[in-house]
């Protein structure tokens, strides 16, 4: 099921596509440290559907590194095998001379699936890092993903480095190189947007939206298909949310804004899920609510099994006495999924540095 991974390398989603909210590519000149863009060689050498070679299934474009499985039904697991190559020249560009012998770097594949609220990584090589070719096997479970899956290699720092005006990154976790991404299209979006890729509208044009002072609005009018909207009448906010960079003030501000919006959205979705879950069986009414329960239920009711927790969740939302306590627990649980203090601190640090 869908997961929210708060320790993901390269966790900023930058799903490509002209209908997406977050678009564009990283501009290396804007980074405050040496960054090698598209220098990691990312090759997928084989695809297997449920253990069998892909063959003529799907629409495969090796040149554009794109695979569409939109027209393929009744499959469960897509398996990718391949390599990521990092040249020693790249290491010597992004790490200082005194770190070439035992390079404090980590090579990882980052998999992002915004429609399923899923971001995770696979570590290919740990510190001390050497140049060379690293093999990987990566599986995509059809039940856990929706829409478009993007897979991209990143090289990051694993230790604090020296500062003193060096052109090289010094912070743990800082990205220093990447490669071209592979994109897997699993199905077409039927709703026109998603929680991470909202629909942009002028709120003043519709009576069903709140007034123009609002930045976002979650519509639960059709509970089967909740939809998040952004208000085009706040163009500066919308532009920040479109930013797809990895480092600098605008990406930091984007992260804080998305944290704020998603915190509000998840809280509403949890309350809706609780109302739509049967207190007798623990079964929710809509399929997306199963994902919500999978993400949050263990934290809400750590001492109960899945079925018992779902039943208790449904009972608690129907108890007027327990509602204040339930809302507080939901707030705490949602807050744990987002590192809002850290993102805000990083934004402040970027602002201070820009004033120096």
């Amino acid at each position: 099921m869908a997961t929210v991974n708060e320790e993901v390398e390269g966790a900023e989603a930058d799903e490509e596509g002209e209908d997406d909210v977050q678009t564009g590519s990283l501009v290396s000149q804007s980074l405050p440290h040496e960054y090698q863009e598209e220098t990691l060689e990312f090759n997928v050498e084989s695809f297997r559907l449920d253990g069998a070679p892909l063959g003529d299934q799907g629409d495969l474009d090796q040149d554009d590194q794109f695979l569409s499985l939109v027209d393929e039904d009744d499959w469960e697991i897509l398996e990718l095998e391949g390599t990521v190559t990092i040249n020693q020249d790249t290491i010597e560009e992004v790490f200082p001379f005194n770190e070439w012998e035992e390079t404090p770097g980590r090579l990882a594949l980052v998999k992002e699936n915004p429609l399923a609220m899923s971001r995770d990584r696979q570590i290919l090589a740990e510190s001390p890092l050497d140049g060379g070719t690293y093999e990987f096997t990566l599986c995509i479970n059809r039940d856990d993903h929706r829409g478009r899956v993007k897979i991209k290699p990143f090289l990051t720092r694993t230790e604090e480095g020296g500062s003193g005006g060096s052109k090289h990154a010094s912070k743990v976790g800082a990205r220093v190189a990447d490669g071209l991404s592979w994109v897997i299209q699993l199905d077409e979006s039927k709703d026109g947007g998603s929680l991470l890729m909202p629909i942009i509208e002028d709120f003043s044009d519709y009576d069903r939206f709140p007034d123009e002072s609002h930045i976002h609005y979650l519509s639960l009018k059709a509970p089967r298909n909740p939809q998040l909207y952004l208000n085009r009448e706040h163009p500066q906010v919308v532009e920040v949310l479109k930013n797809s960079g990895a480092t600098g003030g605008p990406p930091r501000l984007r992260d804080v804004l998305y944290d704020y919006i998603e915190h509000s959205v998840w809280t509403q979705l949890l309350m809706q899920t609780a109302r739509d879950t049967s207190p007798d069986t623990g079964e929710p009414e809509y399929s997306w609510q199963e994902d919500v329960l999978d993400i949050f239920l263990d934290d809400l009711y750590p001492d109960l099994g899945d079925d018992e927790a779902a039943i208790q969740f449904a009972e608690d939302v129907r108890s007027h006495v327990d509602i204040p306590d339930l809302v507080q627990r939901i707030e705490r649980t949602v807050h744990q999924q987002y590192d809002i203090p850290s993102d805000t601190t990083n934004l402040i640090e970027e602002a201070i540095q820009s004033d120096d």
Side-chain angles (χ1 to χ4, degrees):
M1 290 297 181
T3 59
V4 176
N5 187 331
E6 59 183 346
E7 297 180 350
V8 172
E9 209 98 31
E12 296 88 358
D14 57 344
E15 183 83 356
E16 298 168 351
E18 59 186 32
D19 291 330
D20 298 346
V21 165
Q22 299 184 58
T23 58
S25 62
L26 181 66
V27 181
S28 59
Q29 291 90 334
S30 68
L31 295 172
H33 58 259
E34 188 68 32
Y35 191 95
Q36 292 290 299
E37 191 174 10
E38 299 180 359
T39 57
L40 304 178
E41 298 175 21
F42 179 25
N43 296 308
V44 178
E45 296 166 359
S46 72
F47 297 89
R48 302 178 73 87
L49 271 181
D50 294 332
L54 188 65
D56 60 359
Q57 299 179 91
D59 182 9
L60 178 62
D61 188 330
Q62 289 280 3
D63 292 335
D64 288 339
Q65 300 194 170
F66 178 84
L67 170 64
S68 173
L69 295 174
V70 171
D71 296 327
E72 302 300 325
D73 298 320
D74 301 325
W75 62 273
E76 296 180 1
I77 301 292
L78 172 66
E79 184 178 277
L80 293 70
E81 291 185 347
T83 60
V84 176
T85 299
I86 176 171
N87 296 320
Q88 186 63 29
D89 289 346
T90 298
I91 292 177
E92 294 178 6
E93 283 289 334
V94 297
F95 290 94
F97 172 78
N98 63 322
E99 294 181 338
W100 290 356
E101 288 295 324
E102 293 191 2
T103 304
R106 172 184 293 139
L107 184 63
L109 277 181
V110 174
K111 175 166 63 69
E112 301 175 349
N113 183 211
L115 279 176
M117 296 288 185
S118 174
R119 305 166 184 168
D120 54 40
R121 67 180 180 179
Q122 179 178 333
I123 305 301
L124 304 186
E126 282 280 14
S127 175
L129 181 70
D130 295 319
T133 298
Y134 298 88
E135 298 180 348
F136 70 86
T137 299
L138 185 147
C139 293
I140 296 176
N141 189 314
R142 183 66 187 88
D143 289 340
D144 294 346
H145 299 81
R146 296 170 53 205
R148 177 175 290 191
V149 176
K150 180 177 179 180
I151 307 164
K152 186 169 185 172
F154 286 97
L155 175 63
T156 61
R157 283 196 65 91
T158 58
E159 298 176 9
E160 288 287 336
S163 52
S166 171
K167 68 175 183 177
H168 299 103
S170 59
K171 294 182 178 180
V172 173
R175 295 174 176 178
V176 293
D178 66 27
L180 290 171
S181 60
W182 263 92
V183 173
I184 315 296
Q185 188 75 41
L186 303 181
D187 52 46
E188 299 289 355
S189 174
K190 300 294 194 298
D191 54 19
S194 77
L195 298 182
L196 288 185
M197 293 180 290
I199 295 174
I200 302 175
E201 297 281 7
D202 291 306
F203 281 18
S204 61
D205 291 344
Y206 299 90
D207 292 337
R208 61 191 174 95
F209 288 159
D211 63 49
E212 62 273 13
S213 65
H214 286 70
I215 294 174
H216 71 282
Y217 169 66
L218 177 67
S219 174
L220 291 166
K221 184 177 181 180
R224 182 181 298 278
N225 183 31
Q227 182 58 60
L228 179 64
Y229 295 87
L230 290 180
N231 190 355
R232 187 182 283 112
E233 292 162 303
H234 296 280
Q236 291 177 309
V237 175
V238 172
E239 285 305 309
V240 168
L241 291 171
K242 287 182 179 179
N243 188 284
S244 63
T247 306
R252 298 300 186 193
L253 179 56
R254 175 204 62 209
D255 292 344
V256 171
L257 285 174
Y258 261 109
D259 285 347
Y260 156 72
I261 291 171
E262 290 179 23
H263 187 283
S264 167
V265 167
W266 278 121
T267 300
Q268 294 178 70
L269 292 179
L270 272 163
M271 292 299 293
Q272 182 68 44
T273 297
R275 286 193 292 267
D276 292 338
T277 296
S278 168
D280 298 319
T281 66
E283 291 293 326
E285 188 169 352
Y286 305 107
S287 59
W288 64 265
Q289 294 170 334
E290 296 175 3
D291 292 345
V292 173
L293 293 178
D294 280 348
I295 294 170
F296 295 103
L297 212 53
D298 285 346
D299 290 331
L300 279 170
Y301 301 95
D303 299 327
L304 299 179
D306 290 347
D307 293 340
E308 293 175 296
I311 290 172
Q312 188 64 54
F313 191 30
E315 290 178 348
D316 285 349
V317 82
R318 290 163 173 78
S319 170
H320 298 294
V321 176
D322 293 336
I323 279 291
D325 176 67
L326 176 63
V327 171
Q328 289 181 357
R329 283 190 287 121
I330 286 175
E331 285 286 319
R332 287 195 299 268
T333 299
V334 172
H335 190 79
Q336 290 174 9
Q337 299 287 349
Y338 295 94
D339 198 358
I340 296 177
S342 176
D343 286 343
T344 305
T345 299
N346 289 334
L347 175 63
I348 293 171
E349 289 177 350
E350 292 285 352
I352 293 174
Q353 290 174 5
S354 66
D355 288 339
D356 292 341

